[in-house]
Amino acid sequence: MKDDVAAMESGDKDDFKYANDFVYPPVKVDRVLRDGDTIKMGDVLLTAYHTPGHTRGATTWIGNIVVDGKAYVVAFPDGAGFNPGYRLAKNPSYPGIADDYRRTHHMLEMLKPDIWLAQHNEYYDFEDKRQRAQTEGVNAWMDAEGYRRFVAEKKRAFEDQVDDEMGVPRKAAK
């Protein structure tokens, strides 16, 4: 997305949180995506949605696949999680970060994917699903409840962090 172009082309120099701790060789961006843009890879059409938070240009991808004549919506959500040390409410890591996260969480809550994948395999139990797919096929990847739980956990972690920064005491579990 356009909001991450400068980071990509600089190799992430002067990152809003990590400064120059995790720089990489810069790349030349050949296409700047905007919310709702599509790309085609073979027979797969992917739609990019701007879901900032984790980075200013974090992108959630939605695609459709067809397996045995049945269509499935596949989501690759991004932007919902934050790294240790991000400041969300007091002296925010970047201006508007809290609003970005809230919009992203809302957008991700509105999605109803049949299948979802993520940047970290442990988020969606990749190994178990891959093993089960050998006998269950595409059904092993169906996980609407896991997706809802993932988004709810990211949203709760965000709100807890905001409360911590603002000095709001946490409620005791009942």
Side-chain angles (χ1 to χ4, degrees), residues 22-35:
F22 298 107
V23 295
Y24 49 83
V27 296
K28 176 70 179 130
V29 173
D30 61 358
R31 179 177 174 197
V32 178
L33 297 173
R34 289 178 175 65
D35 193 54

Side-chain angles (χ1 to χ4, degrees), residues 79-82 88 101-110 147-163:
F82 57 91
L88 306 171
Y101 272 107
R102 286 193 174 104
R103 279 190 302 274
T104 289
H105 291 141
H106 179 73
M107 187 274 194
L108 295 178
E109 285 175 321
M110 297 299 102
Y147 176 78
R148 285 189 296 276
R149 190 172 43 254
F150 167 78
V151 173
E153 288 169 1
K154 294 299 182 187
K155 184 176 179 180
R156 178 77 267 145
F158 166 80
E159 294 298 344
D160 286 348
Q161 179 64 29
V162 168
D163 287 351

Side-chain angles (χ1 to χ4, degrees), residues 21-160:
D21 290 347
F22 298 107
V23 295
Y24 49 83
V27 296
K28 176 70 179 130
V29 173
D30 61 358
R31 179 177 174 197
V32 178
L33 297 173
R34 289 178 175 65
D35 193 54
D37 281 354
T38 59
I39 64 168
K40 188 169 172 119
M41 295 187 333
D43 292 338
V44 178
L45 181 68
L46 297 170
T47 303
Y49 292 98
H50 187 215
T51 50
H54 184 71
T55 70
R56 290 179 177 123
T59 306
T60 291
W61 293 95
I62 306 295
N64 292 298
I65 61 169
V66 177
V67 177
D68 296 330
K70 182 169 170 93
Y72 298 93
V73 175
V74 180
F76 191 91
D78 191 19
F82 57 91
N83 289 329
Y86 276 25
R87 294 176 316 281
L88 306 171
K90 283 192 172 182
N91 190 25
S93 292
Y94 69 79
I97 190 171
D99 291 336
D100 280 352
Y101 272 107
R102 286 193 174 104
R103 279 190 302 274
T104 289
H105 291 141
H106 179 73
M107 187 274 194
L108 295 178
E109 285 175 321
M110 297 299 102
L111 296 177
K112 306 294 182 220
D114 299 305
I115 298 168
W116 67 288
L117 308 169
Q119 303 82 348
H120 301 282
N121 290 340
E122 63 273 13
Y123 287 169
Y124 63 103
D125 202 8
F126 173 78
E127 290 301 329
D128 178 63
K129 288 177 181 172
R130 186 174 71 165
Q131 184 68 31
R132 289 180 24 233
Q134 293 177 17
T135 56
E136 297 175 37
V138 72
N139 290 331
W141 297 98
M142 305 289 282
D143 189 13
E145 181 58 35
Y147 176 78
R148 285 189 296 276
R149 190 172 43 254
F150 167 78
V151 173
E153 288 169 1
K154 294 299 182 187
K155 184 176 179 180
R156 178 77 267 145
F158 166 80
E159 294 298 344
D160 286 348

